Each structure stands twice: as C-alpha cells, then as structure tokens.
Amino acid sequence: MFAYILRRLALIPLTLLGIIAINFAIVQIAPGGPVEQLLAQLKNTAVAATARVGGGESAEAGRGNAATGGNSAYRGAQGLDPAFVAELNRQFGFDKPAYVRFGLMIRDYLTFDLGKSYFRDREVWDLVVDKLPVSISLGVWSTLLIYVISIPLGIVKAVRDGSRFDVLSSAAVIVGYAIPAFLFAILLIILFAGGRYLDWFPLRGLTSDNWADLSWPARIVDYFWHLTLPVTAMVIGGFASLTMLTKNAFLDEINKQYVVTARAKGLSEHRVLYGHVFRNAMLLVIAGFPATLVGMLFTGSLLIEVIFSLDGLGLLGFEAVVNRDYPVMFGTLYMFSLIGLLLNLVSDLSYHLVDPRIDFTAR
C-alpha cells in the first residue's frame, strides 16, 4: 500500500501541471485581460474592455492594441498613449511571451509562491489564508451534517422501501434536489433573518462586530449563530443525492445472497445491516466524499457567500474571474486542485480501511 501511495503522490504534480496548463491556454484565448480592464476603468468604460473595434475606428486605437499585443483592437485603449499602454503591459508581465509567463508561474508554484494580486495589492497566499476559514467553516459543517442526515435516512428508506415513510421522505428529497441552495437561502432570510417575518438570526458575516470582546463560550455560540442559516441552506440543497445513493447502495446489498445466508444463520437484523451490509454499501458513499467536500468548500458555497456576505474563497475566485485577476485565479485554482487530489487519495485509503479486500497495490 505504501508503494501505491508513493505512486499517487508522484502523479499529483503531473496532474496539477495539466490542469493549470489547460486553464492557462483557455485564458490566453479569452478576450479581455487585466490590462484591458484597467484601460477601460481609466477611460471610465468598463463594459467596453472586451468590445472589438470596427473598421471605422481610429488608427490611434489600433496603435494602442498593438501595444497590448492583442490580435484585434480594444475600445478601452482609445485615446491613450501607446507608450503608456506598453508600460502597463510590462508592469503586468505581458511583455513576455505566453510560454515564458507560464514557465515562471510554474516555477513559483513549486515553492508555493502564488504571486501578488493585480488589483488588491496583496500576496495571493495571504488572501487565500484570510478567506480559507470562511470556506472551511461552510464546507466542513455542511458536509458533516449532510452525511449525518443522509446516511441514517438512506438506511431507513432502504429498510422500509415502499412504505409511507419512504414515499413521503422521497418527496422531501426530490424538493431538496430540485430547488437550488441559494433559493433556500433567500427563503430562510425572509423567514428568520428579518426579511419579512422573524428576526432571529444575523444576515451578515461569520461573527459579530464585538466578537473579540466576548468570552470563549459566547464566541462559540456567536459563531454557530451566524453559521446556522448558510449551513442550513447548503445542507437542504445537498443532502438529496447522498440520501438516494445510500438507499440504493443498501438495497443493492440487501438483495444479495450473503445477506440471505446471514439471516438464515439466525443473525439479528441489526447485526446483518451494520455488521455485513453497512461495510459493503458504504464503499460508494465513501467514494463520493472528496467530491462532496470539495464542492461544498469551493463551488457550492459561492452564492451562499454572496447572499450572506461571507467573504470566502468562492467569492474571491469569482471576483478574480470578473476582474481578470490572473494571479488570484490561478492561485486559487492551484490550491483547489491540490486539495482535491489529496482528498481523492484519502478516499482511496478509506476504501482500503473500510474493506481490506480492496488492494490498490495489487492493481
């Protein structure tokens, strides 16, 4: 097993390289960039940063485009000195060919130097560290609650398959699956955060303004008080898939011959379910854990962070894409991908711990 872990760890740098290379190539093709964004802001025409210049535009705009190194003119460069535009390109590093910029970026990433944000004037690593607690809080608590709710519910649905409880709970699961988490978040705000009815929970932030002055027990209560609504919205929107996966996995195992044999030997139903069926059925659930956690950490929480004014990694990455802040874009992508690959390795190790018969080394 140790050799398998070493092989998987050796593949992580190559996988990261492929992910970053593909996304870097896509960004080079996409219109607009940080220089064009800044030029559009200087011209007070941010919408025009990616607008192409037609055949009747001025020659001065064409000279500005030549300075940016693009293939067609940008309206944001009209009326600006080409030397000034060239200096901007130099400051942003776009005076170098794309392959040189890519090589320098990979070299820095080897030492976890994620660069400096174009528009926030801060190191990307510091930004990630600042935003990480919010995303970890949302992702970990949401994932934990989803598993705590979904696995027992799925087991009960499998055992009582076809009963009234199964039908009614399936209706609730379908509703949770069909309605996006952000709509549940808006509904919770209307009902419980002063939107229209009750005003029980705060609407902004992860802690209160006077959090530093509170005692430790009061800090813990305040922390969970702020987390209640956003985590509830994410759990409601995320437990449906895992519940049905657990139910179907148990139904598949319950109908197998070894379960019939165990019952024929006189084992109790509890021993059959949790001593035999549970271990085999949980393999599929464990396989989905990394994707669930990564999704909750970095993608599923994006709109939740916006709605509840939680400044986490999802919001940081979204703003970086909008502003063409390439160091933040690729820095967060690098961290997301690295964490995802490590969690996939943890998932494979969990397979082996749950069922020692699964031997990745032999494969």
Side-chain angles (χ1 to χ4, degrees):
M1 196 66 183
F2 182 70
Y4 171 76
I5 295 174
L6 289 180
R7 287 200 301 269
R8 286 292 300 273
L9 290 175
L11 285 174
I12 287 178
L14 296 177
T15 307
L16 279 175
L17 179 63
I19 292 172
I20 296 175
I22 292 172
N23 285 273
F24 185 85
I26 293 173
V27 167
Q28 305 310 305
I29 299 172
V35 174
E36 286 74 26
Q37 290 274 15
L38 183 57
L39 292 175
Q41 292 174 14
L42 293 174
K43 295 283 293 183
N44 199 21
T45 56
V47 176
T50 59
R52 303 299 183 183
V53 176
E57 299 293 346
S58 65
E60 185 176 14
R63 290 194 302 271
N65 172 68
T68 63
N71 294 323
S72 57
Y74 286 93
R75 294 181 184 274
Q78 293 184 44
L80 295 175
D81 184 3
F84 171 71
V85 177
E87 176 62 20
L88 284 180
N89 276 280
R90 188 192 65 78
Q91 291 180 4
F92 281 99
F94 293 111
D95 57 330
K96 302 180 181 67
Y99 67 89
V100 174
R101 288 186 279 116
F102 179 76
L104 293 174
M105 182 175 67
I106 295 300
R107 182 200 64 185
D108 293 337
Y109 282 4
L110 291 176
T111 58
F112 287 92
D113 181 4
L114 304 182
K116 190 173 183 180
S117 171
Y118 287 155
F119 300 106
R120 291 175 180 259
D121 197 30
R122 291 186 62 189
E123 295 292 331
V124 175
W125 182 259
D126 294 337
L127 287 172
V128 170
V129 171
D130 286 347
K131 313 302 182 184
L132 197 57
V134 174
S135 295
I136 288 179
S137 295
L138 290 175
V140 169
W141 289 115
S142 299
T143 304
L144 178 62
L145 286 176
I146 286 173
Y147 270 75
V148 167
I149 294 171
S150 299
I151 292 177
L153 180 59
I155 294 174
V156 174
K157 284 175 65 63
V159 173
R160 302 174 62 179
D161 183 41
S163 66
R164 178 174 295 183
F165 171 81
D166 181 42
V167 173
L168 293 177
S169 59
S170 294
V173 167
I174 291 172
V175 171
Y177 184 79
I179 302 178
F182 72 90
L183 288 182
F184 278 117
I186 295 173
L187 177 62
L188 292 174
I189 290 173
I190 294 173
L191 294 177
F192 303 112
R196 185 172 181 181
Y197 297 99
L198 304 174
D199 191 8
W200 290 352
F201 296 96
L203 185 58
R204 299 175 60 86
L206 196 60
T207 56
S208 299
D209 294 335
N210 63 335
W211 189 81
D213 301 327
L214 300 175
S215 62
W216 276 109
R219 289 183 181 183
I220 295 174
V221 172
D222 181 76
Y223 169 74
F224 284 106
W225 183 46
H226 282 76
L227 272 180
T228 299
L229 292 188
V231 168
T232 300
M234 295 178 68
V235 169
I236 292 175
F239 83 101
S241 299
L242 185 60
T243 299
M244 297 309 298
L245 176 65
T246 304
K247 176 189 174 181
N248 293 333
F250 263 77
L251 283 177
D252 183 58
E253 293 295 325
I254 286 173
N255 295 323
K256 290 185 177 179
Q257 185 62 42
Y258 75 89
V259 177
V260 177
T261 303
R263 286 172 175 165
K265 289 181 178 180
L267 296 180
S268 65
E269 191 67 17
H270 184 274
R271 178 71 181 275
V272 172
L273 285 176
Y274 295 98
H276 295 79
V277 176
F278 184 82
R279 174 174 292 183
N280 295 323
M282 282 300 98
L283 291 177
L284 285 174
V285 177
I286 291 173
F289 178 79
T292 302
L293 182 57
V294 171
M296 288 294 171
L297 280 173
F298 306 126
T299 56
S301 63
L302 171 58
L303 291 177
I304 300 298
E305 290 180 8
V306 174
I307 292 171
F308 289 98
S309 300
L310 300 172
D311 195 8
L313 284 177
L315 184 59
L316 176 66
F318 175 76
E319 291 177 347
V321 172
V322 172
N323 295 323
R324 304 296 197 273
D325 197 341
Y326 292 162
V328 177
M329 284 173 55
F330 289 110
T332 53
L333 173 68
Y334 174 71
M335 296 304 300
F336 295 170
S337 302
L338 179 59
I339 293 174
L341 291 171
L342 291 175
L343 285 176
N344 277 320
L345 177 57
V346 172
S347 176
D348 287 348
L349 296 179
S350 301
Y351 265 121
H352 182 71
L353 292 175
V354 173
D355 190 349
R357 294 173 300 174
I358 298 177
D359 187 1
F360 292 103
T361 303
R363 185 184 70 175

